[in-house]
Structures are given as C-alpha cells and as structure tokens.
Amino acid sequence: MFITFEGIDCCGKTTQAGLLVEGLREAGYPVIFTHEPGGTEIGEKIRHLLLNRENSQMVWLTELFLYLASRAQHTAELIHPAIQQGKILVCDRYTDSTLAYQGYGRGLNQKLIHQLNQVATGGLTPQLTFLIDIPPQVGIQRKASKDRLESEGSTFHRKVRKGYLESAGKDPQRFCIINGSRGIQEIHREIMTTTLGRLKARDSLISAKQSRLS
Ligand SMILES: Nc1ncnc2c1ncn2[C@@H]1O[C@H](COP(=O)(O)OP(=O)(O)OP(=O)(O)O)[C@@H](O)[C@H]1O
Ligand SMILES: [Mg+2]
C-alpha cells in the first residue's frame, strides 16, 4: 500500500503523516515513512539545491527537472522495492505536488508534467492520497519563517490549492480530501479510520484470492 500526503504549505502534511505512521506501527503494520523532495542520499542533495535561498536564480524548468530527478531516484531506490516487499509506504508529497506547484502554480504545461511524472515513477501511482485542504491564509499564519518556495504569496497558493482540488476531482477513488482547518487530533482520527478501512478491504481481497487459489 502506497499512501501520500499532499496540500499547500503548512496544511499539516508532515504532522499528519507522522501521526499516521505512528498509529499504523502501533497497530502492527510494517511502515516506511519518507518524503519528497529527498528520501535518498542523492535526493537529499537535490532537496538542498531546491530549498536553498541562495538559488533564487533558478529557472522554473530547472526546478521542475530537479524535483523529477529526486523522484526518479526515490522511486527506484526506496519506494518501489518497499512496495514489492509488501510494506506500507507513507510519503510526504509526491507527483501531485509537482502538478499543483509547477503546473497550476507556475503555469508550466500540465500534460507535460503528467508525462514526466510517469517517466520519473515508471507509472507507479499511490493507492491513497490524503489532500489536506486549508485556505492559503491559514497556512501563511501557521508559519512565519519561510524557505524559497514558501515565500510565494497567497495568489500562488490559491492556484496551487485549485490545482490540488482539480486533481482530486479527477480521481476520487485515490484522493481523500481532508478539512485541515480542524484540530490535529480530530484530523488524525479521520485519516487513521480511512487508512485502516482501506487496509482491511485490501487484506480481505487478498485472502479471498488466496482461498480461491487453494
Ligand atoms: N490542524 C492544525 N492546526 C493548527 N496547527 C497545525 C495543524 N496541523 C499542523 N499545525 C502546525 O502548523 C505548522 C505546519 O505543520 P506541518 O509542518 O505539519 O505542515 P506541512 O504541510 O508539512 O508544511 P510544509 O508544506 O512546510 O512541509 C506546524 O507548526 C504544525 O505544528
Ligand atoms: Mg512538511
């Protein structure tokens, strides 16, 4: 099972992904927790390039290719093998971030980004994506100190939020939209319930297949 967390800056992705990982581990599931950009040694070097304020000269295409390069490494080195081994992989940001930020936010060609995402991931798609949705103002209030991307104003984040919601509308099976303006524990309970429900459905499907085969 491959689970991703998405949403605009400071919506609560890292907080909620961490709580889900803790909850799943307590329930006895083998879980790997990772994030993008980064997640591998090479990916962390790329993350540093992307988030370094000194790189304000970086053009949008360079930014796009760096995100994709980090993702290609991450998928091949960590995500794909973990899923093959039957582990649950929880990832803080993935392909939907690139479409929302570089596509909707920056205005780069969305179809091209989709195709490049496919190339970078070898077509690997999450089974469940939590889109934590908040108004941009809430995110801006939550964090005063901002890195290079986070210093974008609320107009940029409005576009990114719209992009995320459009992506979710196109794939309601995969996306679960979470109202992120509520308390941390209330949000966590909803995410935990949804995930356990999906895992149980998956497990009963697997055992039904196994009993048909035996
Ligand atoms: N539901 C919530 N209500 C109030 N504050 C929250 C909530 N969830 C997270 N926070 C706080 O908001 C800040 C950002 O949270 P977090 O780092 O989890 O967001 P994020 O989406 O991972 O941010 P980024 O996009 O920068 O990675 C933190 O200080 C966190 O404690
Ligand atoms: Mg985070």
Side-chain angles (χ1 to χ4, degrees):
M1 171 84 89
F2 180 22
I3 303 169
T4 55
F5 279 79
E6 294 284 358
I8 64 168
D9 296 2
C10 287
C11 67
K13 296 175 294 297
T14 305
T15 304
Q16 292 300 334
L19 288 171
L20 176 67
V21 167
E22 243 174 67
L24 290 175
R25 283 184 183 149
E26 272 168 27
Y29 287 101
V31 190
I32 292 180
F33 185 19
T34 186
H35 62 264
E36 288 207 350
T40 62
E41 207 178 321
I42 293 170
E44 291 301 323
K45 289 179 184 161
I46 299 173
R47 180 186 179 91
H48 181 74
L49 283 174
L50 282 163
L51 301 183
N52 191 339
R53 278 172 199 270
E54 285 174 13
N55 292 337
S56 58
Q57 308 277 316
M58 192 183 288
V59 299
W60 294 352
L61 266 183
T62 307
E63 184 184 80
L64 172 66
F65 285 119
L66 285 175
Y67 277 112
L68 292 161
S70 165
R71 182 161 306 133
Q73 186 69 31
H74 195 202
T75 307
E77 190 181 321
L78 185 84
I79 302 176
H80 194 255
I83 290 166
Q84 292 289 92
Q85 287 163 22
K87 291 184 179 139
I88 297 173
L89 199 125
V90 175
C91 190
D92 186 348
R93 292 195 181 283
Y94 198 57
T95 44
D96 300 301
S97 283
T98 313
L99 191 61
Y101 281 76
Q102 278 66 47
Y104 286 83
R106 302 289 199 213
L108 299 178
N109 187 296
Q110 292 167 19
K111 201 170 161 205
L112 175 69
I113 292 178
H114 174 72
Q115 287 167 344
L116 292 171
N117 265 333
Q118 291 288 109
V119 173
T121 61
L124 186 74
T125 309
Q127 274 103 27
L128 178 59
T129 298
F130 289 106
L131 170 56
I132 306 181
D133 184 51
I134 53 163
Q137 252 344 89
V138 176
I140 287 166
Q141 282 159 7
R142 280 186 192 168
K143 207 174 198 178
S145 61
K146 298 175 191 306
D147 62 26
R148 198 175 61 84
L149 268 188
E150 284 168 341
S151 64
E152 297 287 347
S154 65
T155 311
F156 176 77
H157 284 113
R158 267 200 296 278
K159 288 189 211 162
V160 174
R161 183 190 190 193
K162 181 171 174 276
Y164 270 131
L165 290 169
E166 278 188 27
S167 296
K170 284 180 194 155
D171 197 352
Q173 291 275 75
R174 170 162 74 90
F175 277 93
C176 178
I177 303 174
I178 300 287
N179 170 4
S181 301
R182 296 167 298 157
I184 290 175
Q185 287 307 325
E186 188 185 344
I187 298 171
H188 171 57
R189 278 194 294 277
E190 185 184 348
I191 289 174
M192 195 70 199
T193 306
T194 303
T195 307
L196 289 175
R198 291 284 186 106
L199 284 169
K200 282 190 187 118
R202 181 200 67 161
D203 291 345
S204 48
L205 203 70
I206 291 170
S207 47
K209 268 187 193 161
Q210 279 168 345
S211 60
R212 265 207 308 276
L213 287 174
S214 59

